[in-house]
């Protein structure tokens, strides 16, 4: 018989969670994070365009639904991320982006609806962007800050899974900024 000791990882009974893939919600989610345009100050190049958007009703930017498990080594956090379409000036709507506090933790993002990019950066400044859409899974390796960008005209919905102990560090990437922005120029999606 396999012996085990429950010490640094909480023991849980198995459970099942309802996920409404079409509506892009977790109906019984206990955490529902909502960020409106006003939560995005400092993130877009065109601050005046963002202010204008905030004055005109402060629209919904993105939501995250999760039913959390212990934020501990061994557990897996999982969530739905739903980012609205739109632009601030010529820059596509995006999430704030973050490093994981425990930098050595990865994340998977399975695209469920919409189209866009996962924009990523390492602490030494290396940049990468991968396309995401229904049926594409982006692997965000350890050490990479990550931000979703919606380049389509419907919500960009993804299913995220990451280690329980990962945590979110928003401050460092906010100070550094991502090396490239995703813009609409002359009808083309460009990164620069
Ligand atoms: C979790 C994760 C996603 C994001 C979500 C919102 O580690 O990467 O669930 O938290 O897409 O983006 P942020 O957290 O950057 O506001
Ligand atoms: Zn993350």
């Amino acid at each position: 018989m396999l012996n085990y000791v429950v010490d640094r990882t909480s023991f849980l009974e198995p459970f099942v969670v309802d996920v409404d893939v079409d509506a892009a919600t977790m109906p019984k989610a206990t955490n529902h994070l909502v960020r409106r345009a006003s939560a995005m100050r400092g993130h877009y190049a065109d601050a005046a365009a963002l202010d204008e958007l905030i004055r005109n009703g402060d629209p919904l930017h993105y939501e995250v639904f999760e039913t959390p498990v212990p934020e501990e080594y061994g557990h897996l956090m999982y969530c739905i991320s739903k980012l609205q379409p739109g632009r601030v000036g010529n820059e596509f709507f995006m999430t704030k982006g973050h490093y994981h506090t425990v930098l050595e933790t990865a994340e998977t993002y399975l695209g469920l609806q919409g189209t866009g990019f996962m924009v990523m950066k390492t602490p030494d400044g290396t940049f990468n962007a991968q396309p995401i859409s229904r049926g594409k899974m982006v692997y965000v390796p350890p050490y990479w800050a990550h931000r979703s960008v919606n380049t389509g005209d419907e919500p960009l919905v993804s299913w995220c899974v990451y280690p329980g102990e990962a945590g979110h560090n928003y401050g460092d990437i906010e100070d550094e900024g991502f090396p490239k922005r995703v813009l609409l120029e002359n009808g083309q999606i460009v990164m620069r």
Side-chain angles (χ1 to χ4, degrees), residues 98 100 107 109 146 162 168:
H98 57 263
H100 289 161
E107 182 158 354
Y109 275 81
H146 42 286
Y162 57 101
H168 295 90

Side-chain angles (χ1 to χ4, degrees), residues 42-56:
H43 291 279
Y44 289 100
D46 190 340
L50 182 66
D51 280 344
E52 173 87 28
L53 206 59
I54 295 167
R55 277 197 303 275
N56 289 329

Side-chain angles (χ1 to χ4, degrees), residues 72-182:
E72 293 170 353
Y73 173 84
H75 284 283
L76 291 173
M77 304 292 287
Y78 50 88
C79 61
I80 284 187
S81 168
K82 183 177 188 181
L83 170 62
Q84 295 300 314
R87 286 191 303 278
V88 175
N90 66 344
E91 189 169 3
F92 289 102
F93 275 14
M94 60 194 187
T95 59
K96 287 179 177 230
H98 57 263
Y99 288 105
H100 289 161
T101 309
V102 179
L103 208 49
E104 303 85 357
T105 53
E107 182 158 354
T108 58
Y109 275 81
L110 173 65
L112 300 178
Q113 294 176 23
T115 52
F117 288 91
M118 187 63 62
V119 167
M120 292 166 277
K121 173 191 180 285
T122 57
D124 70 2
T126 306
F127 177 80
N128 194 297
Q130 297 295 327
I132 185 161
S133 58
R134 183 176 174 81
K136 279 193 193 299
M137 193 209 72
V138 177
Y139 185 72
V140 179
Y143 308 111
W144 290 81
H146 42 286
R147 148 183 288 169
S148 325
V149 182
N150 187 345
T151 55
D153 47 22
E154 58 177 314
L156 175 63
V157 179
S158 32
W159 174 253
C160 329
V161 180
Y162 57 101
E165 79 276 24
H168 295 90
N169 167 3
Y170 291 98
D172 284 312
I173 192 64
E174 204 167 324
D175 292 346
E176 296 167 1
F178 284 85
K180 293 187 185 187
R181 297 179 176 278
V182 187

